[in-house]
Every structure is written in structure tokens, then in C-alpha cells.
């Protein structure tokens, strides 16, 4: 009986040992599970701006985690603040580890130049070199960005700029500095080349620019419009452009459109040294800009018209009251966001014209909202993305030009709002330019 009991006890003990051994063999490791939450809502960012990423980690046992950027350790905080002065693509990785293993998640970020998107105000300069002001999409303003990027100056009396091929082309009437024409990287403003002697003897006070290709740069001066080819460094006058107006040209349908003889618009095509077509108007032309659908907006007399860029027909024309324009402005009298145009007639009174409805409304007199808004210096501009209207004013001439405003108006609600006002940044502003209009 005792012997049987001993055998039974040994059997139970062996069974218990076997059971424990089976449990050990059935244990399943549980490594952590991680994911990256993009709290900024975008995977592209300008240089020196910040994106925020949150670490989401699930682990039943104690774990640790590590952020890395392009394989280099970056942080062990739960929130990664990503900022870069360099442009390009970056891989962000989040790796968590516990006793049972590890798990990683990755995402990619693109960093673009800090001047790729936003608003520029070009200054003629006060008896010296021109300067360039930048307003970021977030509303931050930086002056003298060309000098800060290069340590050198634009030419004297800067007048116009154009963006194409990821390059910015800036033309200055008096030359000097880095030249009559400066070509810089459009995202960083780093100078690529400047042209001085090549244009000094062939052009007379160049003021406006349009670009069709790297070797198809069109410059308006006192003679008319000329083609500058940087590769050959040759300047070719375009026949038929004599007396081209001192105002912006427009590029649409891979052609340059310029106003001449006050009442005529001419077209210029690549590879030709003479104009391809003329469009005649009854009254003097005060504005010529590209429309968002690829056609043209033209203001002439008291009319605003849409012109077909392929067959040059007038698609529609509206008689606009109280439209007026000043002849001494070097920028277009109209600016547009889609079907909605704004104008001020060179005064502080801003009007809105909805073209499809042929409806014009008075929006605001800037003087009622902006102190020292005495004189409008060149025409207003409308941000084609936000619809905000920018107006440059100075208190007056003499020393009063030093008291000035870049005013930003928001007309999205029933009452006009002064969204921002930047004081005393300009030195005779030659124009307002939005990067989105060059896309």
C-alpha cells in the first residue's frame, strides 16, 4: 500500500512538472506596437519651420523608445519637434523596445526653401539699392532677405520680379549692386548669377520682366521689349514693341503679353524677334494680368475684360463704376483671386468686382483703419490663395516716405478687418508679388 502511494505521488509530481514545462513553452512574447501621429497635419515644411510628431506606444510591459532622423538619434521625448535648415527629404523613425522585442514606424518629410511660398514686396530703395521683403504664409515678415541670403545688394531702383523654373528674376532700373538683372534660387534667394555689363550698353532703364524659358528672358525698357539670352549673353530687340508701357507684362499660354502705345496689347512667342499678334482697345490699358484659368484680365478705360489667350477674342467685358486708374503706376490697376477682382484707382479706397455677376462693391477706405495712410504707392495686390488684399501706403513725400504701411485687409466677413499692418518696412515699394501667381 505504501509502495502504491509513493508511485502515485511521484506520478502527480511528474504531472505537475510536465504541466509547468508546457506552460513555459506556450508563453508568447509581446513586443511593443508603435505608430507616429502627425499633429501638424502636413508632411512638408519650410526651412526653419517646425513640424510636430507624437509617439503612440502600446506595450504590456515596461518599454523604452527613441526618435531618429535619417538614422541619427534625435529625441526620447514623447513629442518630436522637427526643424531643419537644410532642404530635401528626411525619414523620421520611432523605435520602441521592451524585454520581448522591438517595433518601428517611419514617415517621410519634405523640407522646401523658406521663400517658396508667400508674399514679396519689392522696394525701389531710397537713392540706393533695392531691397526685398518677405511675408510668410503665417504672417511673419522679414526685410532685406536678398542681402541676408547673399551679403550683397540688388541693383538700384529695383522695379519688377518674375518666378519661373524655380528661379527668381529681379530687374533693377539703374544697375549697380549685383546687376541690372539678378537670377536667384526661388526657394532660398541665393544668387546664381547677376548681369551688369551685358545689359548696361544695350538697355535703357529696364523696368519689367517676363520669362518663358531659361534663355527666353524678356525685359521692358525705354526702347520697348528685348529678349535676353543668358547663354549667349545677347540682347535682341522685339520688333513691334516700341513704346511698351512701363507696367507689368503677363505670361499665359506660353506667350508674353505686353501693352504698347497705350491702347494695344502685343504677343511675343519663343524663337521670334517680332510680335505675333496685336489686340486693339478703345481706351488706355491700365492693367494686364494672367487669370487663374490661363486667360487674361485686362482693364481699359472703365472696363474690365477677359481675353482668350488662344484666339485673342474678348470673352466678356464689364463696364465698371467707379473704376479709374492713375497713369504713373508701374503695377497693374487690377488684381484677382479667381473670378473676383479688386482695384483702388490709386487711392486708399478699395473696391471689389465679382466679374461673373458684374457686381462692384465699395469695401473700405484704408485711411479709416490705418494711421498715416496718406499716399498709395503703386496698386494693391490680392493674395490668390487667401483673398486678403495688400496695400502699400506712405505718409507722404520728403522725409514722410519713411512713415509707411503694408496693410493686409480681410474681406471674408460682412465687416472689413485689418488682418495685419506692418509699419515702416518699405522704401518706395515697386510692387507686391505672390508666389502662387507664378505656379
Amino acid at each position: 500500500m505504501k509502495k502504491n502511494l509513493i508511485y502515485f505521488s511521484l506520478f502527480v509530481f511528474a504531472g505537475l512538472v510536465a504541466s509547468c514545462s508546457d506552460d513555459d513553452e506556450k508563453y508568447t512574447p509581446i513586443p511593443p506596437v508603435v505608430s507616429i501621429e502627425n499633429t501638424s497635419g502636413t508632411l512638408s515644411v519650410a526651412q526653419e519651420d517646425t513640424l510636430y510628431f507624437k509617439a503612440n506606444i502600446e506595450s504590456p510591459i515596461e518599454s523604452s523608445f527613441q526618435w531618429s532622423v535619417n538614422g541619427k538619434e534625435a529625441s526620447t521625448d514623447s513629442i518630436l519637434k522637427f526643424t531643419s535648415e537644410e532642404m530635401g527629404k528626411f525619414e523620421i523613425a520611432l523605435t520602441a523596445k521592451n524585454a520581448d522585442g522591438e517595433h518601428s514606424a517611419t514617415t517621410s518629410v519634405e523640407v522646401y526653401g523658406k521663400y517658396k511660398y508667400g508674399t514679396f514686396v519689392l522696394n525701389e530703395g531710397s537713392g540706393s539699392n533695392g531691397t526685398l521683403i518677405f511675408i510668410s504664409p503665417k504672417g511673419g515678415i522679414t526685410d532685406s532677405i536678398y542681402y541676408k541670403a547673399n551679403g550683397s545688394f540688388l541693383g538700384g531702383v529695383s522695379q519688377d520680379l518674375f518666378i519661373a523654373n524655380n528661379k527668381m528674376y529681379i530687374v533693377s532700373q539703374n544697375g549697380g549692386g549685383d546687376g541690372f538683372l539678378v537670377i536667384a534660387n526661388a526657394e532660398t534667394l541665393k544668387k546664381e548669377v547677376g548681369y551688369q555689363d551685358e545689359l548696361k550698353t544695350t538697355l535703357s532703364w529696364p523696368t519689367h520682366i517676363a520669362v518663358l524659358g531659361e534663355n527666353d528672358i524678356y525685359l521692358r525698357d525705354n526702347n520697348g521689349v528685348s529678349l535676353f539670352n543668358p547663354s549667349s549673353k545677347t540682347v535682341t530687340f522685339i520688333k513691334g514693341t516700341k513704346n511698351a508701357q512701363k507696367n507689368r507684362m503677363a505670361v499665359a499660354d506660353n506667350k508674353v503679353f505686353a501693352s504698347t502705345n497705350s491702347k494695344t496689347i502685343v504677343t511675343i512667342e519663343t524663337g521670334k524677334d517680332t510680335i505675333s499678334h496685336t489686340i486693339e482697345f478703345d481706351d488706355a490699358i491700365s492693367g494686364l494680368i494672367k487669370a487663374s484659368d490661363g486667360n487674361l484680365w485686362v482693364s481699359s478705360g472703365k472696363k474690365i475684360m477677359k481675353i482668350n489667350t488662344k484666339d485673342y477674342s474678348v470673352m466678356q467685358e464689364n463696364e465698371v463704376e467707379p473704376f479709374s486708374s492713375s497713369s504713373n503706376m508701374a503695377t497693374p490697376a487690377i488684381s484677382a483671386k479667381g473670378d473676383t477682382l479688386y482695384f483702388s484707382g490709386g487711392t486708399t479706397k478699395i473696391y471689389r468686382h465679382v466679374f461673373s455677376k458684374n457686381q462692384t462693391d465699395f469695401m473700405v477706405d484704408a485711411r479709416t483703419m490705418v494711421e498715416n495712410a496718406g499716399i498709395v504707392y503703386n496698386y494693391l495686390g490680392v493674395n490668390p490663395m487667401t483673398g486678403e488684399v495688400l496695400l502699400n501706403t506712405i505718409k507722404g513725400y520728403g522725409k514722410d516716405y519713411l512713415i509707411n504701411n503694408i496693410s493686409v485687409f480681410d474681406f471674408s466677413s460682412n465687416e472689413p478687418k485689418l488682418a495685419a499692418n506692418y509699419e515702416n518696412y518699405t522704401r518706395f515699394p515697386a510692387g507686391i508679388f505672390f508666389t502662387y501667381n507664378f505656379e
Side-chain angles (χ1 to χ4, degrees):
M1 184 70 176
K2 282 184 180 180
K3 193 180 285 187
N4 289 339
L5 229 96
I6 291 170
Y7 287 147
F8 177 76
S9 298
L10 289 171
F11 176 79
V12 171
F13 177 74
L16 288 171
V17 170
S19 177
C20 291
S21 177
D22 288 343
D23 287 344
D24 288 342
E25 290 176 3
K26 290 179 180 178
Y27 176 75
T28 303
I30 306 176
V33 176
V34 301
S35 63
I36 298 173
E37 182 180 344
N38 180 358
T39 59
S40 297
T42 180
L43 290 173
S44 60
V45 66
Q47 290 170 298
E48 301 175 11
D49 275 357
T50 303
L51 292 179
Y52 295 88
F53 298 92
K54 181 181 178 181
N56 292 325
I57 302 171
E58 296 179 13
S59 177
I61 57 177
E62 184 178 352
S63 65
S64 62
F65 65 92
Q66 174 77 53
W67 294 97
S68 65
V69 177
N70 282 355
K72 295 181 179 180
E73 293 183 0
S75 173
T76 56
D77 292 335
S78 60
I79 300 294
L80 174 69
K81 298 178 181 179
F82 172 83
T83 304
S84 175
E85 294 184 0
E86 300 296 322
M87 295 190 300
K89 288 190 175 181
F90 296 81
E91 183 181 84
I92 293 174
L94 171 65
T95 301
K97 298 179 181 180
N98 65 17
D100 288 344
E102 67 177 63
H103 181 234
S104 296
T106 62
T107 188
S108 293
V109 170
E110 181 181 2
V111 179
Y112 53 82
K114 57 184 171 181
Y115 303 122
K116 184 174 183 177
Y117 302 110
T119 304
F120 296 97
V121 178
L122 184 64
N123 284 310
E124 295 176 358
S126 51
S128 59
N129 301 84
T131 59
L132 192 60
I133 298 167
F134 178 71
I135 304 174
S136 76
K138 296 181 179 179
I141 187 168
T142 309
D143 64 350
S144 303
I145 58 172
Y146 180 82
Y147 179 80
K148 289 174 180 176
N150 298 283
S152 56
F153 293 96
L154 294 170
V157 192
S158 297
Q159 291 282 284
D160 195 21
L161 68 79
F162 197 93
I163 300 173
N165 314 311
N166 204 39
K167 302 178 191 294
M168 180 180 286
Y169 302 78
I170 305 170
V171 61
S172 299
Q173 178 178 292
N174 292 352
D178 280 347
F180 288 96
L181 173 64
V182 169
I183 303 177
N185 183 286
E187 296 188 36
T188 65
L189 265 295
K190 288 287 187 181
K191 172 188 166 185
E192 296 187 0
V193 63
Y195 295 97
Q196 188 88 257
D197 295 338
E198 298 89 344
L199 302 175
K200 187 174 183 178
T201 59
T202 53
L203 297 179
S204 173
W205 286 21
T207 61
H208 291 83
I209 186 167
V211 179
L212 291 181
E214 292 194 357
N215 287 318
D216 296 291
I217 301 173
Y218 296 87
L219 296 164
R220 179 269 164 204
D221 71 346
N222 286 345
N223 300 313
V225 179
S226 295
L227 167 65
F228 175 57
N229 183 323
S231 293
S232 62
K233 296 182 174 58
T234 56
V235 177
T236 304
F237 182 74
I238 305 298
K239 303 180 191 70
T241 64
K242 185 180 179 181
N243 299 322
Q245 285 187 290
K246 188 180 178 181
N247 211 311
R248 282 188 205 159
M249 298 176 281
V251 172
D253 194 34
N254 201 36
K255 291 174 282 194
V256 173
F257 294 81
S259 55
T260 64
N261 297 319
S262 179
K263 298 180 181 181
T264 303
I265 289 177
V266 300
T267 63
I268 306 168
E269 298 181 31
T270 300
K272 296 183 179 180
D273 64 357
T274 187
I275 59 173
S276 300
H277 193 83
T278 61
I279 312 170
E280 303 291 340
F281 296 86
D282 295 331
D283 300 294
I285 297 160
S286 58
L288 168 62
I289 60 175
K290 181 182 177 181
S292 59
D293 63 2
N295 291 301
L296 291 177
W297 294 114
V298 176
S299 56
S300 172
K302 291 187 174 295
K303 294 179 181 178
I304 296 179
M305 293 163 273
K306 178 171 274 192
I307 306 297
N308 188 304
T309 55
K310 296 188 182 300
D311 62 17
Y312 312 113
S313 63
V314 177
M315 301 170 69
Q316 182 180 332
E317 67 177 35
N318 293 349
E319 191 85 24
V320 181
E321 291 288 350
F323 189 83
S324 63
S325 60
S326 174
S327 60
N328 63 349
M329 303 283 191
T331 59
I334 52 175
S335 189
K337 177 187 183 297
D339 187 57
T340 302
L341 297 101
Y342 289 85
F343 62 90
S344 67
T347 73
T348 55
K349 295 180 179 180
I350 299 174
Y351 294 86
R352 180 174 65 195
H353 179 74
V354 182
F355 194 75
S356 58
K357 297 179 180 179
N358 194 13
Q359 175 182 324
T360 304
D361 297 297
F362 169 73
M363 304 309 293
V364 74
D365 187 336
R367 287 179 178 174
T368 64
M369 303 184 77
V370 181
E371 188 178 2
N372 296 315
I375 300 171
V376 174
Y377 205 89
N378 280 310
Y379 288 116
L380 55 71
V382 181
N383 188 315
M385 295 293 288
T386 67
E388 291 178 328
V389 176
L390 276 69
L391 187 72
N392 285 319
T393 56
I394 60 176
K395 182 178 181 180
Y397 293 105
K399 292 291 184 181
D400 280 347
Y401 80 88
L402 294 170
I403 302 171
N404 53 73
N405 296 277
I406 305 171
S407 303
V408 183
F409 294 94
D410 180 354
F411 299 125
S412 61
S413 57
N414 292 332
E415 294 296 325
K417 296 178 182 178
L418 186 62
N421 194 66
Y422 307 98
E423 297 181 351
N424 307 328
Y425 277 90
T426 67
R427 295 295 181 266
F428 300 115
I432 302 163
F433 304 85
F434 304 97
T435 57
Y436 316 104
N437 279 330
F438 296 97
E439 294 177 348

